[in-house]
Amino acid sequence: MHKVVNTAEDDRAQVNADQELLQRQYELAQLDRTSKANWEMIKKLTVCGVAFLNDAYDMFAINIVAMILGFVYYNDATGSAKNTVPKKWDTLIKIAVQIGCLLGQLIMGRLGDKIGRTTVYSAGLMIAIITTIASAFSSSMVRGFNVFIVLFIWRLLLGFGIGSDYPLTATIVSEYASVHNRGKLMAAVFSFQGFGNVLAPIVSIIVLACFAQSIDHDVRSLDYVWRIIIGVGCIPGVSTLYWRLIMTDSERFRRVNDRALGPSDESTTVDTESEKLFAQQASTGSASPAAEELPAAEEPPAAGARETVLAIPDEVRPRRAKTFVQYFSEWRHLKVLLGASIAWFSLDVAFYGINLNSSIVIGAIGFAGDIRADQPSRYIIRNCLGNIIINLLGSVPGYWISVFTIERLGRVRIQLLGFAALTVLYLILGFGYHQILDKSSGAFIFLFSLAQLFQNFGPNVTTFVIPGEVFPTRFRSTAHGISAAMGKLGAVAAQGGFFQLKDIGGKDEWINRLLQIFALFMLLGFLVTFWIPESKGKTLEEICDEREEFY
């Protein structure tokens, strides 16, 4: 049966249909206004920051470990192979964590939306702790199953645990923070990655100093050193495990789950309370009590307005929450996911391509020494010092410039600035690589450090922050995981693909061409950034327009 209603009744029915959604938006806006720094928030931010310190330590300590493994297992080799891990094994152990991260970001990110942020967050840390300890005890097991294969397997699983930190840390911080400091807090948590980059070579120097005499007497003593360096990586995780276990999901996440229009985003079952409220309002024309605090609806048209015929079923059909596929099948939403994902992929091709092979840069400027003539402890310590200097000159300052400017400049502007600067710098370094090195190592260090600075005062920070803000709460962890996984795909492509070309024409002779390729990826990242909306100064619900989640 159908009813004939006039325009005024149409308008009132539409207002009533949106009342429950407006009420929820009002409550979430209240959360943003009342969010203040307190001990609970400080504790959560510290736990999340230590997570990224730990992740960076575990990921980048492998640079030093790979160098040490060359002395341990290839000290008896001759010629250029002496004290150097063969390329296939070097690539295998460096790429392992990136592959594991990719899988962890996709799987654990999805589980973060389905099960809960903090539950999955704790599980990821426990996986990382166990596999870190196991990695430290890697050894040859049977013929054809050497230490590098065992180390690859454990670091693959370690990467899976680390992968959960990206989507879950981002969503936890974004959902707890207020609108005015959300970007700053997310950037600050992520910036602990810079401290992890520096901590790895510092720990390595300390351990090497403890074993220096025995190493110079018997190079096989380095076998203890690399295991200790890896094992230390579980200490930050163990120290924060308890606090992760007692963390609770944010009020925003709990409310969205409680008021979801079904038990899952794929379900067609409707939340009964919402259905009752909708039907009651549609039949009586009344608003909920909390609605009195919301902006008033438009006045109905004057008497005598033209009547229209509207078909309304006797039982009002309530709104249904869009599934993930329905939401992202619309180009206006899909382009945001593509923009965030492709930008992260483009950045990580260069970021991990360079940072997982920093010894090449240190060697290029003549700081490393001679791997075949120098004492092992001296050679490794000089490389560790080189890593520390490069990170302190560009990488660490870049992180914290982003922290203190992100709420003023905005996410998109910083990302565009970073990609533009990196495009220019990689072009200069690529086309002038040999000329700059021949004339001035200082100039090369300056340009390289500037590139490191704009990686972090730029897309390395913003590609983490943006996906934690621009997607609906029901999909936030999943979508962030997809974006982050695309980044790790870029890291895998760099290490497993592009850097296999570096020795074309001679040792490290193709590095200049790789820098030119990196410049093209920076340009791609710059272009797709225009698909991403600015999230500065907006609530999470305003950024993604929560009305678009329903049909």
Side-chain angles (χ1 to χ4, degrees), residues 105-106 109 167 324 328 337 341 344 477-487:
Q105 287 160 345
L106 290 173
F324 182 91
F328 286 107
L337 181 60
S341 300
W344 207 332
S477 180
T478 302
H480 193 289
I482 292 171
S483 302
M486 281 294 291

Side-chain angles (χ1 to χ4, degrees), residues 255-295:
R255 289 191 185 190
V256 167
N257 269 6
D258 290 343
R259 295 194 177 196
L261 299 177
S264 68
D265 37 322
E266 285 83 17
S267 175
T268 56
T269 305
V270 181
D271 179 88
T272 54
E273 293 301 319
S274 298
E275 185 174 359
K276 290 177 183 177
L277 176 63
F278 184 96
Q280 180 184 3
Q281 290 175 348
S283 61
T284 63
S286 61
S288 63
E292 297 174 5
E293 302 179 51
L294 299 171

Side-chain angles (χ1 to χ4, degrees), residues 182-205:
R182 185 179 60 237
K184 181 186 293 185
L185 294 180
M186 293 177 73
V189 163
F190 189 68
S191 295
F192 274 74
Q193 191 180 76
F195 296 140
N197 291 344
V198 175
L199 183 62
I202 289 175
V203 169
S204 300
I205 290 173

Side-chain angles (χ1 to χ4, degrees), residues 112-168:
D113 283 331
K114 302 294 287 184
I115 298 175
R117 318 304 200 203
T118 54
T119 301
V120 180
Y121 198 43
S122 299
L125 178 58
M126 288 188 280
I127 292 171
I129 291 171
I130 293 168
T131 52
T132 298
I133 295 171
S135 297
F137 288 95
S138 298
S139 61
S140 299
M141 299 177 67
V142 294
R143 183 184 293 272
F145 211 66
N146 63 24
V147 65
F148 296 100
I149 295 176
V150 176
L151 190 57
F152 168 81
I153 294 170
W154 286 121
R155 286 187 63 79
L156 181 75
L157 297 173
L158 169 63
F160 188 87
I162 289 174
S164 67
D165 284 343
Y166 284 77
L168 295 167

Side-chain angles (χ1 to χ4, degrees), residues 382-435:
R382 282 180 65 84
N383 273 272
C384 291
L385 288 172
N387 270 290
I388 294 170
I389 292 168
I390 287 174
N391 277 289
L392 291 179
L393 284 177
S395 183
V396 173
Y399 280 113
W400 293 96
I401 293 173
S402 288
V403 172
F404 294 113
T405 59
I406 196 166
E407 296 295 359
R408 185 171 300 176
L409 297 178
R411 291 68 158 152
V412 171
R413 187 178 297 178
I414 289 176
Q415 185 158 305
L416 288 171
L417 172 65
F419 272 130
L422 288 168
T423 302
V424 174
L425 288 167
Y426 285 141
L427 285 173
I428 294 171
L429 287 169
F431 285 100
Y433 182 78
H434 295 293
Q435 297 90 325

Side-chain angles (χ1 to χ4, degrees), residues 32 169-178 182 186 252 465 468-469 476 540:
D32 278 320
T169 300
T171 52
I172 287 169
V173 176
S174 69
E175 291 168 3
Y176 266 108
S178 71
R182 185 179 60 237
M186 293 177 73
R252 170 178 269 105
V465 172
E469 298 180 313
R476 185 167 294 123
L540 295 174

Side-chain angles (χ1 to χ4, degrees), residues 25-36:
Q25 289 176 330
Y26 174 76
E27 291 173 355
L28 294 176
Q30 284 291 94
L31 278 180
D32 278 320
R33 284 192 289 270
T34 56
S35 293
K36 295 180 180 179

Side-chain angles (χ1 to χ4, degrees), residues 222-523:
L222 281 169
D223 196 45
Y224 299 105
V225 173
W226 74 264
R227 297 178 190 278
I228 293 172
I229 292 170
I230 288 180
V232 167
C234 74
I235 294 176
V238 170
S239 66
T240 57
L241 178 59
Y242 171 75
W243 302 110
R244 280 215 206 185
L245 291 171
I246 64 172
M247 283 177 72
T248 56
D249 288 322
S250 68
E251 183 68 19
R252 170 178 269 105
F253 178 70
R254 293 200 299 270
R255 289 191 185 190
V256 167
N257 269 6
D258 290 343
R259 295 194 177 196
L261 299 177
S264 68
D265 37 322
E266 285 83 17
S267 175
T268 56
T269 305
V270 181
D271 179 88
T272 54
E273 293 301 319
S274 298
E275 185 174 359
K276 290 177 183 177
L277 176 63
F278 184 96
Q280 180 184 3
Q281 290 175 348
S283 61
T284 63
S286 61
S288 63
E292 297 174 5
E293 302 179 51
L294 299 171
E298 294 181 1
E299 292 294 328
R306 183 175 61 88
E307 292 188 348
T308 59
V309 177
L310 179 67
I312 302 180
D314 287 333
E315 291 191 13
V316 179
R317 179 180 181 271
R319 288 188 313 274
R320 309 282 178 133
K322 291 179 180 177
T323 65
F324 182 91
V325 173
Q326 287 174 325
Y327 184 82
F328 286 107
S329 63
E330 300 177 32
W331 171 245
R332 55 184 166 176
H333 304 313
L334 178 62
K335 73 176 182 180
V336 178
L337 181 60
L338 289 175
S341 300
I342 298 172
W344 207 332
F345 173 88
S346 302
L347 180 275
D348 276 5
V349 168
F351 183 82
Y352 285 95
I354 290 173
N355 286 288
L356 285 176
N357 301 278
S358 55
S359 59
I360 294 174
V361 176
I362 296 168
I365 61 177
F367 189 84
D370 189 332
I371 193 171
R372 283 170 287 280
D374 289 348
Q375 289 183 329
S377 59
R378 182 178 182 275
Y379 180 84
I380 298 167
I381 287 174
R382 282 180 65 84
N383 273 272
C384 291
L385 288 172
N387 270 290
I388 294 170
I389 292 168
I390 287 174
N391 277 289
L392 291 179
L393 284 177
S395 183
V396 173
Y399 280 113
W400 293 96
I401 293 173
S402 288
V403 172
F404 294 113
T405 59
I406 196 166
E407 296 295 359
R408 185 171 300 176
L409 297 178
R411 291 68 158 152
V412 171
R413 187 178 297 178
I414 289 176
Q415 185 158 305
L416 288 171
L417 172 65
F419 272 130
L422 288 168
T423 302
V424 174
L425 288 167
Y426 285 141
L427 285 173
I428 294 171
L429 287 169
F431 285 100
Y433 182 78
H434 295 293
Q435 297 90 325
I436 296 171
L437 279 174
D438 290 342
K439 291 185 177 181
S440 173
S441 295
F444 184 87
I445 294 170
F446 172 77
L447 290 170
F448 184 80
S449 298
L450 201 59
Q452 295 287 89
L453 186 142
F454 278 107
Q455 278 185 340
N456 296 310
F457 175 43
N460 190 39
V461 170
T462 55
T463 51
F464 170 80
V465 172
I466 289 170
E469 298 180 313
V470 297
F471 302 116
T473 300
R474 290 183 301 114
F475 309 136
R476 185 167 294 123
S477 180
T478 302
H480 193 289
I482 292 171
S483 302
M486 281 294 291
K488 287 297 175 283
L489 184 61
V492 171
Q495 190 63 36
F498 295 123
F499 254 85
Q500 301 306 303
L501 309 175
K502 72 182 181 67
D503 293 329
I504 293 177
K507 184 174 174 58
D508 297 337
E509 285 297 316
W510 226 65
I511 294 293
N512 60 328
R513 296 285 186 262
L514 291 178
L515 290 169
Q516 294 165 22
I517 292 172
F518 292 164
L520 292 177
F521 279 101
M522 297 305 99
L523 179 60

